[in-house]
Each structure stands twice: as structure tokens, then as C-alpha cells.
Amino acid sequence: MSKTTRSEAAPLTADIGSETIPLKQACVIAAREVIAAEGCAALSLRDVARRLGVSHQAPYRHYPTRDDLLAEVLRQCFAEFAQALAARTPHENAQDELGSLGDAYLGYAAAHPVEYALMFTDPWPQAAHHPAMAQAAKIAFDELRSVLTRVYAQVPAPWQMAWVERDALCIWAAIHGLASISRLDATAALGLAPVSQLRAHVFGMIERSMANESVLNNNIPKQTDT
Amino acid sequence: MSKTTRSEAAPLTADIGSETIPLKQACVIAAREVIAAEGCAALSLRDVARRLGVSHQAPYRHYPTRDDLLAEVLRQCFAEFAQALAARTPHENAQDELGSLGDAYLGYAAAHPVEYALMFTDPWPQAAHHPAMAQAAKIAFDELRSVLTRVYAQVPAPWQMAWVERDALCIWAAIHGLASISRLDATAALGLAPVSQLRAHVFGMIERSMANESVLNNNIPKQTDT
């Protein structure tokens, strides 16, 4: 039976490739490598320690539980995702900007399948116990909230913030569904067109469907997409 | 080094609980147990043989590769899913039936999270090599095609089958996104309403957004949902 006392001599740095970096940061890099190679379910603090060549107790200094490490990985992913969304092509017309936000979203999902699946498929650690992670996720979601607020604000009719919230969740569901189906590559088997050909139609559906039609549909010039 | 010649004496049955059933069928039951317990990535023919207490060569008689076994599991899941969709509440009005199809879809996803994730998250075996699997998936999808065809058919204006195909994929994306987000349980962290409260809004958005608005939006009585 091995003793599990925490050694005071545990290393504060680890080597990743030819670089020596602080252990706290190295753990996150190693965790992302484990997740990319073996999936989220395979992540353990012990495995991270083994990869870094440090004692299996060392990571516990910075991450008392596996969930703490996973939450930090997720926080980083959400921050990168929010940055990608914020880097969308700006448009004076808010509906056009909603389209470029959608493109930025789908572009990120296609370019970063591991991170996307981690954020939106695998179970999160409890958000209440990991406020930094939850806050980073909220910042990413706020990109959609802010564009939708602009969409409503450019309509000359009363509107409520509650509609923005409701639409944001529905639009997220639609775009998330599209991103997920794109990854599946099942459309050919189902006799359907490739998802990439449907981008314009989905965005058109979202535009036409938005919320309280007495506000938006009657005030924004209608477009046909055929 | 062990010899890997295939034994002619390999068993044709296996015991699952107190039942003795044909090996071919037992392999699928065991595979579904592995997937439920450890995830799809953990599935191997060797592990299935071990669970069934048969020689590790025995399953190869019926399933030459892991993909063949996985495709049969998926075929079963799609058949069960199609059955659940077909058991929806029927409605004379096709738009109402689109709603009950959506409810049947979301109900299945909530009640069968393992099967749902297997069908729509994990990578499929190549559909071209597993026609029975692809056919079962298509039968499930055809439930949506047939309801949408009825939606268009009840509108007194010309329409094209291509619109049904296009809308079917978009509506599937939206409902799949909703099902996925429901499982995530991230809405509280993002300051959003629970997904369950949004069902009516999402279905209303779909109804309003459907395809060529000059056909549908101008011919179906509009509903407000606030």
C-alpha cells in the first residue's frame, strides 16, 4: 500500500515538448491532449500527471478534483470560442450581422471539432461550483444576445428583452443542430443535400421566424430565398 | 503467441441472464450493454465475446468487423426510433401533426439518451457499406418527409418536393439542436429559461419560418404565441 501524503517537493513546473512551463498551465495543455486523443471520459488527474512526468499527486495542488481541471479546460474553450464569435464580419444591418455571427459559429465548430464537442456534447461540471467556466460560457452566449438586441432595436415597434432571450435559445438550438448534423455526415445516407448547401435557407428561416411576427415580420423588408 | 484460427466448434448460442439465445442476437444485446455502460468508443468484438463468455473468435462468424456489429446496433436503434415517431398522436391538420411528430422526437431523445447519442453524435460506420442501417435511418427520416408533404399539400398553391427536402433538414436541425441542448442542462448557467418552456416557441418559429413564405405564410392562418 503506497502512502498518499502530498509531497512538499512536488514540482511547480513541467516540460511540454522542449518548454518548461508552470505546472498549473501544463496540466490544462495535457488535459486537452488527453481529451483530443481519447475523449473526455478518459480524462483523469493521474493520466495528466503521467503525461507530464510528474508525481501523480502533483496536479492536485492546482486542481483538487478532475472536475476542477475539466472546468478550467472548458473555460479556456469558451474564451477561445467567444473570441472567434467576436471576430465575425461586422455589418451595419443587424440581420446581416446575425448571419455573420452564424457563419463564425459554424466556422468554429467545423475547425475545432474536439473543443466544440467538449463544450456542447459532453456533460459539464456543475456550473454552480465552477463560476469562471459558467461566466466564460455566458460571455460567448452574450455575443448572440447583443446581435439579437440590435435586430430588435432597429425595428420601430415596442419589444421586450424576454423575446431576445427566447429567440437566442431557439436560434442557438437551430445553429447547434446544423453544426452537429454537419459533423455527422449522414445527409447522403438520408438522401438529403449536403448541409453546407443549406446555410442560406436556414438563416432565411431564422430571419423569417424571428419571434413576435407582428413586430419583426411586418417591419423588416421580406426576402425570398429559393 | 496464440493461434487465431477460427474454431468450427464456436458456439451458436449464448446466455444472456437466464436465457439462451442465438449468438448473432446475443452479440447485439451485449454490444448495446457495452455502449450504455462505457460509450461507443469502448465497443470491441473481443469485449462482446468476453461478456457473453464465448471464445473471442465466435462473434466474427456473424460480424466480420466491429463496424458490422455497430451498424446492426444502429439499425435496431433507428427501427425503434422510427416506431416511436410513427406512434405520434395523429391530427387531421398537418401543422398540428408536425407538432406531435416533434413531441414524439423530443420524447424519444429524453427517454433514450444512450440510443439518441449513438444515432446522432457518434460517427456512423460508412453508410454505403451498411445499407440496412442506412435504410432504417431513412425510414425514420421519412416520417418527417411525409408530414411535411402533407403540410404543403394542404396549401392551395404550387409547391415543389425540393422544398420538403430542404425544410425537413432545417427542421431536423432545429429539433435535434433542442434535444441536444436539453441534455446539456447548460441553460441555467447561461441565464436562460429551461428548454422545456420553449417547446411552443420553437414549434411556432418553425411553423412561421417554413420555406417559401409566399406559399405557406400567406395561406395558413397566422398564430401569435407570446
Side-chain angles (χ1 to χ4, degrees):
Chain A
M1 219 154 87
S2 67
K3 283 188 186 168
T4 54
T5 50
R6 200 166 290 183
S7 162
E8 287 305 316
L12 291 168
T13 62
D15 297 329
I16 297 252
S18 58
E19 271 191 289
T20 299
I21 57 174
L23 181 61
K24 188 169 183 179
Q25 196 185 332
C27 286
V28 177
I29 295 171
R32 291 182 72 161
E33 285 173 1
V34 173
I35 292 166
E38 299 164 46
C40 182
L43 180 67
S44 72
L45 286 164
R46 184 175 282 262
D47 196 26
V48 163
R50 201 176 39 70
R51 276 182 179 248
L52 294 174
V54 300
S55 91
H56 74 263
Q57 291 296 331
Y60 288 89
R61 257 186 198 218
H62 302 292
Y63 304 102
T65 69
R66 174 189 180 278
D67 267 5
D68 291 308
L69 177 57
L70 179 58
E72 174 56 18
V73 170
L74 276 161
R75 189 199 61 74
Q76 275 192 8
C77 292
F78 282 119
E80 291 160 10
F81 183 46
Q83 215 164 9
L85 297 179
R88 67 185 171 273
T89 311
H91 287 280
E92 205 158 320
N93 179 293
Q95 281 282 6
D96 292 340
E97 185 138 349
L98 188 58
S100 72
L101 179 64
D103 286 335
Y105 188 107
L106 293 174
Y108 182 91
H112 304 278
V114 170
E115 288 78 5
Y116 190 79
L118 184 65
M119 290 188 290
F120 298 122
T121 309
D122 295 300
W124 288 8
Q126 286 227 332
H129 297 160
H130 303 282
M133 175 197 77
Q135 180 61 16
K138 197 176 155 300
I139 287 169
F141 201 80
D142 282 346
E143 295 290 337
L144 177 54
R145 278 192 177 103
S146 79
V147 176
L148 282 182
T149 305
R150 277 189 58 214
V151 170
Y152 275 102
Q154 78 184 14
V155 172
W159 59 278
Q160 299 166 23
M161 200 58 204
W163 299 348
V164 169
E165 297 293 313
R166 204 176 55 172
D167 284 353
L169 189 48
C170 294
I171 290 173
W172 176 35
I175 300 297
H176 170 60
L178 201 64
S180 308
I181 288 173
S182 303
R183 291 176 54 214
L184 252 192
D185 210 15
T187 48
L190 296 172
L192 294 163
V195 172
S196 59
Q197 289 181 15
L198 285 167
R199 182 243 171 244
H201 187 59
V202 170
F203 284 79
M205 285 184 80
I206 289 171
E207 186 167 340
R208 282 196 301 280
S209 72
M210 268 191 65
N212 196 296
E213 61 177 352
S214 63
V215 177
L216 278 181
N217 286 9
N218 297 337
N219 286 286
I220 287 182
K222 294 194 178 190
Q223 293 177 2
T224 53
D225 76 310
T226 45
Chain B
M1 220 153 84
S2 67
K3 282 189 187 168
T4 55
T5 49
R6 200 168 290 182
S7 161
E8 287 306 315
L12 291 170
T13 62
D15 297 330
I16 298 251
S18 59
E19 271 192 289
T20 298
I21 57 173
L23 180 61
K24 189 170 181 176
Q25 196 185 332
C27 285
V28 176
I29 296 171
R32 292 181 72 160
E33 285 173 3
V34 173
I35 291 166
E38 300 164 46
C40 182
L43 179 66
S44 72
L45 286 164
R46 185 175 282 261
D47 196 27
V48 163
R50 201 176 40 69
R51 275 182 180 248
L52 294 174
V54 300
S55 92
H56 74 263
Q57 290 297 330
Y60 288 89
R61 250 180 206 228
H62 301 292
Y63 304 101
T65 68
R66 173 189 182 278
D67 267 4
D68 291 307
L69 177 57
L70 179 58
E72 175 56 19
V73 171
L74 275 161
R75 189 199 62 73
Q76 275 192 9
C77 292
F78 281 119
E80 292 160 12
F81 183 47
Q83 215 164 10
L85 296 179
R88 67 184 171 273
T89 311
H91 288 279
E92 208 158 319
N93 180 292
Q95 280 283 6
D96 292 341
E97 184 138 349
L98 188 58
S100 73
L101 179 62
D103 286 336
Y105 187 108
L106 293 174
Y108 181 92
H112 304 279
V114 171
E115 288 78 7
Y116 190 80
L118 184 64
M119 290 188 290
F120 298 123
T121 309
D122 294 301
W124 288 9
Q126 286 227 332
H129 298 160
H130 303 283
M133 175 197 79
Q135 180 60 17
K138 196 176 156 299
I139 287 169
F141 200 80
D142 282 347
E143 295 290 338
L144 177 54
R145 278 192 178 103
S146 79
V147 176
L148 281 182
T149 303
R150 277 189 59 215
V151 170
Y152 275 103
Q154 79 184 13
V155 172
W159 58 279
Q160 298 165 23
M161 201 59 204
W163 300 348
V164 168
E165 296 294 312
R166 204 176 53 174
D167 284 354
L169 189 48
C170 293
I171 290 173
W172 177 34
I175 299 298
H176 170 60
L178 201 64
S180 308
I181 289 172
S182 303
R183 293 175 53 215
L184 253 190
D185 210 16
T187 48
L190 295 171
L192 294 163
V195 172
S196 59
Q197 289 181 15
L198 284 167
R199 184 243 171 246
H201 186 58
V202 170
F203 284 78
M205 285 184 81
I206 288 171
E207 188 168 338
R208 282 197 302 280
S209 72
M210 267 191 66
N212 196 296
E213 63 177 348
S214 62
V215 177
L216 279 180
N217 285 10
N218 298 337
N219 287 286
I220 288 182
K222 295 194 179 192
Q223 292 178 1
T224 52
D225 76 312
T226 43

